[in-house]
Amino acid sequence: MNDHYADPLREAAAQGVERTVQMTSVAAAAGQVLTQIKAQRLREQTEQDRQATAALRSRQQVAYQAARLQWAPASDPRWLRAADFVGTSRAWGAAVPYAPSDPAAERARLRCEQRLRELHPYGMSRYDRLRAEGVEPVEAMRKAAPFFARVPNPRTGHPAPARKELSTAVTLGTQDFPVPIKDAIRTTDAPQAAQAARPTQRPARNLKP
């Protein structure tokens, strides 16, 4: 008999750390690819040697084709609906460096971001706020990565329970002068005392002649 029981809190925390590491790694890799692309384009502009320029373009084309294979599934709605967090984030990371110059990559980036909003609304809400502030996608995802360690849908709590209305005696007893506690008790007991002191009326007997 297995006496080991899983700790739900520990498993949830471990999954949150995995999501943070995954998104940080993806954002870092995408940023590195984007930097290489910019550097290659800069070298192409200043490179005088045609052979070196051709080699750079060849390597860039190979890298583009490899990235395209990774983001291409995002164009399939069926794949996207079934994609998990890891698969979607990898497709996003492959598409984002080429999104500024490739419409297909831009569409894949947007579709992956929509899927990530379904999988982890909390983390993506931070990403969307950063994007609204003008932060570029790679940097925004890098800054939002720690938020993916938390639960996807945090709850804000339940409303406080309604309290019962206090009785007249308690309400008056909690007040200060000019209403002392004795007067408050006397006030509430007065109707009851008057009721007790009231004589009980009995029905008149019918007297026969």
Side-chain angles (χ1 to χ4, degrees):
M1 181 176 180
N2 187 6
D3 295 335
H4 175 72
Y5 296 93
D7 187 348
L9 296 178
R10 183 175 298 177
E11 290 182 358
Q15 292 177 358
V17 172
E18 289 179 1
R19 288 192 298 265
T20 298
V21 172
Q22 174 68 25
M23 193 54 69
T24 302
S25 176
V26 167
Q32 185 177 3
V33 173
L34 186 60
T35 300
Q36 292 175 355
I37 292 174
K38 292 180 179 180
Q40 289 175 359
R41 290 175 179 173
L42 181 61
R43 286 196 297 267
E44 287 179 3
Q45 294 176 358
T46 58
E47 183 63 58
Q48 301 298 325
D49 190 347
R50 293 182 179 180
Q51 293 182 352
T53 301
L56 288 174
R57 290 178 179 177
S58 178
R59 289 195 296 270
Q60 185 176 2
Q61 185 65 22
V62 171
Y64 167 78
Q65 292 298 334
R68 188 173 179 274
L69 291 176
Q70 290 184 331
W71 85 61
S75 61
D76 184 356
R78 293 177 297 179
W79 179 91
L80 205 57
R81 284 194 297 267
D84 59 5
F85 183 86
V86 175
T88 307
S89 60
R90 287 177 178 174
W92 178 89
V96 67
Y98 300 94
S101 59
D102 190 329
E106 174 66 6
R107 288 192 296 269
R109 178 185 73 86
L110 295 176
R111 289 169 180 169
C112 289
E113 290 179 359
Q114 183 58 36
R115 176 57 178 164
L116 288 172
R117 292 185 185 97
E118 298 172 358
L119 294 172
H120 205 290
Y122 185 78
M124 287 302 293
S125 65
R126 177 59 179 170
Y127 170 82
D128 290 335
R129 285 195 294 270
L130 292 169
R131 293 285 289 126
E133 295 172 1
V135 182
E136 293 298 322
V138 172
E139 183 63 19
M141 192 62 77
R142 183 182 291 112
K143 291 182 177 180
F147 290 80
F148 288 92
R150 304 183 183 181
V151 294
N153 295 283
R155 298 181 180 180
T156 57
H158 301 284
R163 296 182 178 180
K164 295 183 179 180
E165 184 177 358
L166 298 176
S167 63
T168 306
V170 176
T171 303
L172 295 175
T174 56
Q175 297 178 356
D176 295 330
F177 291 102
V179 184
I181 183 61
K182 293 181 179 180
D183 293 346
I185 296 176
R186 188 181 302 110
T187 301
T188 57
D189 290 343
Q192 297 179 2
Q195 181 68 23
R198 184 179 303 169
T200 304
Q201 296 180 358
R202 296 181 180 180
R205 296 181 180 180
N206 295 327
L207 300 177
K208 296 182 180 181

